[in-house]
Amino acid sequence: EKRSFKEENLQVPQKPEVPLFTPIEQLKEHGNECVKKWEYEEAIAFYSAAIDLLEDSEVGHPPELMDPKYLAVLHNNRAQCFISLCREVQGEDTLARKYAMRANLDAAKAIELDPTNGKAHYRRGCAVLGMAPSASRSKEAIRHLEVALAGRASGGKDGVVLPNSFRNEVSKLLDLAKGRLDACTEAAVPDVEQCRENCRQQ
């Protein structure tokens, strides 16, 4: 079931007013609760507030929050919200691509902070496929989706990790990316007869 959007809700939301010293964990939890209720704009606002606080070097944070993987999770969660919004507004290309670009930036940052995060590679692939089709974007999506699929289900200190619950979706998206690459490549191959006709006309 798809929810309906009001025009004013389709814009990038304002960040929420949060009391000073609001715990980052609480902001993250509020974001997670909003996602469960399909309130993606509000979730983005909470994740953004948490990211801003965590990136504020003048504020002291508990050691567990200073792990780059924690910040990666916040960017990754926000990327998923932008992907969800992108899917909701299909048919409105400009807005959908705007959300896809924002998702791509967040997923890229999550990968930079934690290259082992398979979900971030998956979401980077999703985001790239949400942009205007091209062979280079299809190749980029394929690369990240293959990295995600190559990951283990769990455990270990090294290597990419992707939960088993994501594997079917990633496989389907990988097939889509490969099909799109084929379509882009075929479109780029010149028609020999058309080329000859063009030469005659010059």
Side-chain angles (χ1 to χ4, degrees):
E1 181 184 352
K2 292 183 72 174
R3 63 181 182 147
S4 60
F5 280 81
K6 295 179 181 177
E7 185 63 32
E8 61 268 21
N9 292 336
L10 294 177
Q11 307 305 314
V12 175
Q14 295 294 316
K15 293 178 183 177
E17 292 293 328
V18 293
L20 197 60
F21 306 122
T22 299
I24 292 171
E25 303 98 313
Q26 188 175 332
L27 291 170
K28 177 175 177 280
E29 188 56 37
H30 283 321
N32 293 347
E33 289 301 317
C34 287
V35 169
K36 291 175 186 175
K37 295 184 284 186
W38 292 5
E39 295 172 349
Y40 301 120
E41 299 93 340
E42 291 83 353
I44 288 168
F46 281 114
Y47 293 138
S48 296
I51 288 168
D52 287 347
L53 280 174
L54 198 53
E55 290 180 338
D56 185 347
S57 59
E58 296 181 6
V59 178
H61 301 296
E64 62 271 17
L65 299 188
M66 298 308 294
D67 185 342
K69 291 186 177 183
Y70 191 91
L71 184 56
V73 168
L74 292 172
H75 279 284
N76 202 16
N77 288 359
R78 191 169 68 176
Q80 180 56 54
C81 291
F82 282 121
I83 288 168
S84 296
L85 288 171
C86 180
R87 289 173 173 167
E88 292 280 2
V89 297
Q90 282 182 355
E92 298 183 42
D93 285 350
T94 302
L95 188 57
R97 287 175 183 164
K98 176 181 174 183
Y99 285 137
M101 286 188 284
R102 295 289 301 273
N104 187 43
L105 290 172
D106 269 326
K109 184 65 175 178
I111 292 168
E112 177 187 326
L113 291 163
D114 180 13
T116 68
N117 191 321
K119 288 193 281 187
H121 286 282
Y122 155 61
R123 286 169 183 153
R124 183 97 193 261
C126 274
V128 171
L129 288 175
M131 294 186 234
S134 72
S136 61
R137 285 190 176 126
S138 298
K139 288 176 183 176
E140 185 179 359
I142 289 167
R143 180 167 60 85
H144 284 290
L145 294 169
E146 287 180 339
V147 168
L149 270 181
R152 299 184 321 280
S154 64
K157 293 182 179 180
D158 301 317
V160 173
V161 175
L162 181 76
N164 283 332
S165 59
F166 280 77
R167 292 185 182 277
N168 187 46
E169 173 68 17
V170 175
S171 294
K172 288 179 181 178
L173 205 62
L174 182 57
D175 288 341
L176 173 67
K178 288 178 177 178
R180 186 172 291 181
L181 175 61
D182 289 341
C184 289
T185 304
E186 287 170 9
V189 175
D191 182 279
V192 175
E193 289 304 318
Q194 187 61 49
C195 286
R196 287 174 181 159
E197 183 61 29
N198 290 343
C199 288
R200 290 192 196 102
Q201 291 172 358
Q202 289 176 357

